[in-house]
């Protein structure tokens, strides 16, 4: 049987939870914003930090723009997914620099790209935030022309664009 | 009249053979269930508190909640799990803590069933972030939550029984 005191106790506990959670979130370095970006049409979906970022990375939401940049210019495309997933299929010409191995990537990156290069970073899709994390680190390392392809590989494949498999570019 | 009163009095105070053992057994079951549910909720809250951004993405993946409240849910829900787990183990407002835990379990069961019925794959984010998706994984989750809800309801009835004594 549920008594009135149980219901009052529930409210009391919930008030403690709300105060504690917002307090910890405000002070924690991992805290998130009260409202996130959850509209896939506007780019990568993410909770967002509770403090404004020092680095704001540009996003490309148009797959045709990425294709155009790849075909026409000297843009370097970086795939930050795991190597086994990269081998199954990736954007042609994309270099694999998994976010999980960033320490190793950091050493190898200067031999593959220069700070002047136009760099496009992508991962699985709009729900994947690894491309953002990787791009932010690149900007912090001194690379200036860095953008994230928000739709990622899922959108690229969906658009029916060419896909390279196991390092063999079409 | 006095005989009736005496018989009633005797009945209330009579210690049945073996009832002490039964009471102890009930207490043991109560403790085991309190520890099981409390620890499960505390344990499952931890990774969500440490990585609220990833938990928010998981909440988004359920594809049920309005976008405006996803972050608030990702901030508050783990602490509800933590506080209610602690309340259940320590015994402070344990009935209320258990009520909230049961309500949450009912909510999780509803969410999992809803996504299973409409064929929407999702990552539950229950004990670790990035658990495998799939129908069988969802069914397993559903069974797990149903068992825990059963344990929660039984525990609440035990609390009731104890309060009546």
């Amino acid at each position: 049987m549920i008594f009135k005191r149980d219901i009052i106790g529930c409210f009391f506990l919930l008030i403690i939870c709300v105060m504690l959670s917002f307090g910890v979130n405000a002070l924690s370095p991992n805290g998130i914003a009260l409202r996130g970006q959850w509209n896939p049409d506007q780019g990568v979906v993410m909770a967002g930090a509770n403090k404004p970022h020092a680095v704001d990375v540009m996003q490309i939401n148009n797959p045709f723009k990425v294709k155009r940049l790849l075909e026409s210019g000297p843009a370097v495309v970086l795939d930050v997914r795991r190597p086994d997933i990269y081998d199954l299929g990736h954007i042609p010409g994309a270099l694999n620099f998994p976010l999980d191995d960033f320490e190793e990537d950091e050493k190898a990156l200067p031999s593959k790209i220069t700070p002047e290069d136009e760099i496009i970073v992508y991962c699985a899709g709009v729900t994947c935030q690894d491309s953002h994390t990787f791009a932010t680190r690149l900007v912090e390392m001194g690379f200036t022309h860095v953008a994230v392809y928000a739709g990622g590989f899922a959108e690229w494949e969906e658009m029916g664009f060419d896909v390279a498999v196991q390092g063999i570019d079409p | 009249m006095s005989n009736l009163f005496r018989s009633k009095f005797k009945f209330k105070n009579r210690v049945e053979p073996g009832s002490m053992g039964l009471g102890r057994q009930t207490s043991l079951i109560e403790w085991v269930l309190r520890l099981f549910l409390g620890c499960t909720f505390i344990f499952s809250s931890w990774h969500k508190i440490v990585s609220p951004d990833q938990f928010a993405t998981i909440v988004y993946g359920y594809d049920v909640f309005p976008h405006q409240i996803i972050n608030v849910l990702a901030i508050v829900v783990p602490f509800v799990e933590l506080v209610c787990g602690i309340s259940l183990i320590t015994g402070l407002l344990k009935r209320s803590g258990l009520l909230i835990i049961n309500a949450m379990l009912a909510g999780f069961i509803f969410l999992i069933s809803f996504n299973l019925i409409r064929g929407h794959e999702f990552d539950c984010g229950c004990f670790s972030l990035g658990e495998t998706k799939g129908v069988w994984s969802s069914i397993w989750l559903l069974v797990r939550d149903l068992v825990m809800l059963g344990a929660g309801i039984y525990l609440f009835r035990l609390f009731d029984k104890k309060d009546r004594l």
Side-chain angles (χ1 to χ4, degrees):
Chain A
M1 207 166 131
I2 300 168
F3 299 108
K4 197 179 163 187
R5 65 165 193 266
D6 298 332
I7 304 293
I8 293 169
C10 288
F11 277 110
F12 183 70
L13 284 177
L14 289 175
I15 289 168
I16 290 175
C17 295
V18 170
M19 283 165 55
L20 198 64
S21 57
F22 283 109
V24 170
N25 184 64
L27 298 172
S28 165
N30 296 334
I32 57 173
L34 295 181
R35 274 185 79 165
Q37 197 303 97
W38 300 111
N39 185 354
D41 298 334
Q42 285 176 13
V44 174
V45 291
M46 60 172 86
N50 59 357
K51 295 167 192 80
H53 267 304
V55 175
D56 203 11
V57 180
M58 195 183 86
Q59 275 193 83
I60 303 173
N61 294 324
N62 185 351
F64 292 103
K65 190 178 173 185
V66 177
K67 197 168 186 282
R68 216 167 36 242
L69 280 169
L70 265 173
E71 285 167 354
S72 64
V76 179
V77 182
L78 303 183
D79 184 321
V80 298
R81 299 173 301 158
R82 290 201 327 255
D84 53 328
I85 299 172
Y86 169 86
D87 285 345
L88 292 173
H90 55 264
I91 295 178
L95 305 171
N96 187 215
F97 283 100
L99 179 69
D100 297 341
D101 309 325
F102 190 77
E103 279 179 23
E104 286 170 32
D105 296 345
E106 220 174 345
K107 290 171 203 157
L109 272 167
S111 62
K112 303 270 184 183
I113 48 175
T114 63
E116 290 76 36
D117 282 338
E118 252 187 74
I119 303 162
I120 300 169
V121 188
Y122 76 89
C123 56
V126 283
T127 54
C128 171
Q129 292 154 23
D130 291 355
S131 49
H132 257 274
T133 311
F134 198 96
T136 306
R137 289 183 189 174
L138 283 180
V139 174
E140 283 166 353
M141 281 170 70
F143 294 94
T144 43
H145 311 290
V146 184
V148 165
Y149 170 33
F153 187 69
E155 188 186 57
W156 183 270
E157 207 176 20
E158 209 174 282
M159 295 301 295
F161 296 157
D162 288 343
V163 170
V165 182
Q166 284 180 334
I168 305 160
D169 287 348
Chain B
M1 184 70 183
S2 65
N3 274 348
L4 186 70
F5 174 77
R6 213 172 291 140
S7 67
K8 265 192 180 175
F9 183 76
K10 263 185 183 173
F11 178 73
K12 276 204 165 178
N13 288 283
R14 192 173 58 198
V15 178
E16 301 242 353
S19 72
M20 287 273 280
L22 198 70
R24 212 172 291 154
Q25 205 179 341
T26 312
S27 291
L28 185 72
I29 293 171
E30 184 197 312
W31 258 108
V32 168
L33 289 179
R34 274 170 68 181
L35 276 177
F36 164 63
L37 286 173
C39 290
T40 305
F41 270 73
I42 292 170
F43 178 64
S44 69
S45 72
W46 189 245
H47 66 275
K48 298 169 192 163
I49 291 171
V50 174
S51 311
D53 54 335
Q54 288 183 46
F55 182 52
T57 309
I58 285 164
V59 175
Y60 166 79
Y62 273 85
D63 200 17
V64 173
F65 304 103
H67 293 169
Q68 291 86 347
I69 67 159
I70 288 175
N71 280 25
V72 174
L73 282 175
I75 293 168
V76 178
V77 169
F79 280 89
V80 177
E81 292 182 346
L82 179 73
V83 170
C84 291
I86 292 172
S87 138
L88 200 57
I89 290 174
T90 58
L92 290 167
L93 292 171
K94 61 179 180 188
R95 286 173 61 94
S96 305
L98 182 58
L99 266 180
I100 298 174
I101 283 178
N102 284 348
M104 278 198 289
L105 284 169
F108 297 154
I109 289 166
F110 170 76
L111 282 177
I112 296 165
S113 313
F114 180 63
N115 276 343
L116 254 177
I117 290 166
R118 66 177 173 152
H120 177 73
E121 285 194 4
F122 62 100
D123 172 4
C124 95
C126 308
F127 294 101
S128 68
L129 302 164
E131 280 183 45
T132 49
K133 299 174 182 182
V135 176
W136 286 108
S137 149
S138 300
I139 290 170
W140 162 238
L141 286 175
L142 198 60
V143 171
R144 196 168 67 183
D145 284 352
L146 280 169
V147 168
M148 284 206 284
L149 182 61
I153 292 169
Y154 181 71
L155 186 58
F156 199 80
R157 291 186 66 167
L158 278 185
F159 286 164
D160 262 351
K161 230 183 227 176
K162 234 182 174 181
D163 286 351
R164 259 186 263 133
L165 286 174

